[in-house]
Amino acid sequence: MPIASPDVYAEMLDRAKAGSFAYPAINVTSSQTLNAALQGFTDAGSDGIVQISTGGAEYASGPKIKNMVTGAVALAEYAHEIAKNYPVNIALHTDHCPKDKLDGYVRPLLAISAERVKTGKDPLFGSHMWDGSAVPLEENLSIAAELLAAAAAAKIILEIEVGVVGGEEDGVSNEINEKLYTTPGDGLRTVEVLGSGEKGRYITALTFGNVHGVYKPGAVKLRPEVLKDIQEQVGAKLGKDKPFDLVFHGGSGSTLEEIRAAVDYGVVKMNIDTDTQYSFTRPVVGHMFTNYDGVLKIDGEVGNKKAYDPRAWGRLAEAGMAERVVTACEDLRSTGTSPKA
């Protein structure tokens, strides 16, 4: 199926929230990782989201080019073509974009989609994220309001972050402490500034102890009940059940119980990057160790072309990552929920 149109993407999110499941949002950096994500969603019978961070986009543009917009557009155009061959809906998203990279990433991409929409096409991406976690709340929401207006005009969903995610991702670091918990007051202020859909659709990463990076289960102190409290207090003010469409960041090391509690409280999208990076790389390591005398030209020999052909280990990498995507779908209860599954 083609990449999800704005209407299909909105329906995906509505269906997830109504059905108490969420979509894995898989970070991709290349055609191979994108292929792996698409195959994983297909194997799981789940619609899904693939996303490109600023670092991933820069990497995809070429090692000496380092142009975030070029890399993001290239991967998006590739996805639009390749996704036609898979029987699930896939939404395209750009991941964390801090303030200092807005002018070099999200704003140019919004402009590209606005031009596409003017000519009767769908936007290039279905959603973009503004990561305002490093600035004060009022500045965060002020920038979000400006971006939301531009996104709505281009038929794009905006993702925002209200609160702080600990750890490090793409050069943005935050300490692991009590600041990692969004308050009901933060939630109320968010709807005061951004509305509850009438100014444009947005999805919200509220923080409840989330940490980017690699952690064993139990090391990260998540409090999913924070999400429940915010949904209830803001919902009471708006007269609406679970008013926020929530995003779960920094989920590596989370227990299944924590993940599903968050989904029950309104999470419709969960970012997954660290785990899929490992699942992509681990089979390559195994191949290299097992076939070291074939992938290396040892003692003047010629090696084994079948062993060092990038397709040999590349297929293994894609299969490993696809398997992890299937697991993510199972954890988030999205397995078998695609209308085409």
Side-chain angles (χ1 to χ4, degrees):
M1 299 178 72
I3 289 295
S5 67
D7 288 343
V8 169
Y9 192 6
E11 188 275 334
M12 284 170 57
L13 297 178
D14 290 342
R15 185 157 37 87
K17 196 169 184 180
S20 294
F21 65 90
Y23 298 107
I26 306 299
N27 281 71
V28 299
T29 56
S30 64
S31 60
Q32 284 188 298
T33 52
L34 179 56
N35 288 344
L38 295 179
Q39 188 60 55
F41 285 124
T42 298
D43 292 344
S46 171
D47 296 337
I49 300 169
V50 295
Q51 58 189 24
I52 307 166
S53 68
T54 56
E58 185 178 87
Y59 172 83
S61 73
K64 294 187 178 181
I65 304 301
K66 298 183 178 181
N67 185 299
M68 295 182 290
V69 173
T70 295
V73 170
L75 282 178
E77 293 287 8
Y78 179 83
H80 275 270
E81 185 62 33
I82 294 297
K84 297 174 184 177
N85 299 304
Y86 292 86
V88 291
N89 296 306
I90 299 296
L92 287 180
H93 176 72
T94 60
D95 199 11
H96 292 268
C97 183
K99 181 181 176 181
D100 64 341
K101 294 182 179 179
L102 283 173
D103 287 342
Y105 196 50
V106 165
R107 287 191 176 108
L109 291 174
L110 281 170
I112 288 170
S113 285
E115 287 301 313
R116 288 170 61 101
V117 169
K118 285 180 182 178
T119 62
K121 297 179 180 178
D122 285 336
L124 186 61
F125 284 88
S127 54
H128 293 296
M129 183 190 176
W130 148 234
D131 182 354
S133 62
V135 302
L137 179 63
E138 290 304 317
E139 183 181 4
N140 181 352
L141 295 177
S142 176
I143 293 172
E146 172 248 317
L147 293 172
L148 181 61
K155 301 182 180 180
I156 288 170
I157 295 168
L158 182 69
E159 179 179 331
I160 64 170
E161 185 169 313
V162 179
V164 177
V165 174
E168 187 276 335
E169 182 173 68
D170 277 339
V172 178
S173 299
N174 290 299
E175 294 182 9
I176 301 173
N177 55 35
E178 286 299 309
K179 294 182 180 180
L180 306 185
Y181 304 94
T182 309
T183 68
D186 295 337
L188 288 165
R189 183 59 182 150
T190 298
V191 296
E192 287 175 1
V193 176
L194 303 182
S196 56
E198 70 278 6
K199 297 180 181 180
R201 186 161 189 169
Y202 63 94
I203 54 180
T204 310
L206 300 178
T207 58
F208 53 105
N210 318 58
V211 178
H212 289 133
V214 186
Y215 297 88
K216 293 181 179 180
V220 177
K221 305 303 180 185
L222 292 177
R223 301 178 191 165
E225 64 275 10
V226 167
L227 303 180
K228 180 175 182 289
D229 189 29
I230 294 172
Q231 292 277 41
E232 288 178 347
Q233 292 199 38
V234 177
K237 182 177 179 65
L238 298 177
K240 183 178 180 181
D241 183 46
K242 296 178 185 175
F244 287 113
D245 296 330
L246 298 178
V247 181
F248 187 163
H249 289 179
S252 295
S254 303
T255 66
L256 183 59
E257 181 181 16
E258 290 167 338
I259 291 170
R260 291 189 170 169
V263 172
D264 287 338
Y265 299 146
V267 164
V268 294
K269 171 181 180 280
M270 179 176 175
N271 291 7
I272 300 175
D273 188 17
T274 300
D275 291 351
T276 47
Q277 287 177 351
Y278 182 77
S279 66
F280 184 88
T281 300
R282 179 62 183 83
V284 179
V285 174
H287 176 82
M288 298 304 173
F289 281 157
T290 302
N291 299 282
Y292 74 94
D293 54 348
V295 298
L296 298 176
K297 296 182 178 181
I298 298 173
D299 296 331
E301 294 298 324
V302 296
N304 180 348
K305 182 180 182 301
K306 290 183 178 180
Y308 61 72
D309 185 331
R311 291 169 293 184
W313 50 263
R315 289 191 186 97
L316 298 175
E318 290 182 29
M321 182 170 165
E323 289 177 8
R324 183 60 183 84
V325 173
V326 170
T327 298
C329 292
E330 292 170 352
D331 291 348
L332 295 170
R333 308 189 189 117
S334 70
T335 302
T337 60
S338 175
K340 295 294 183 179

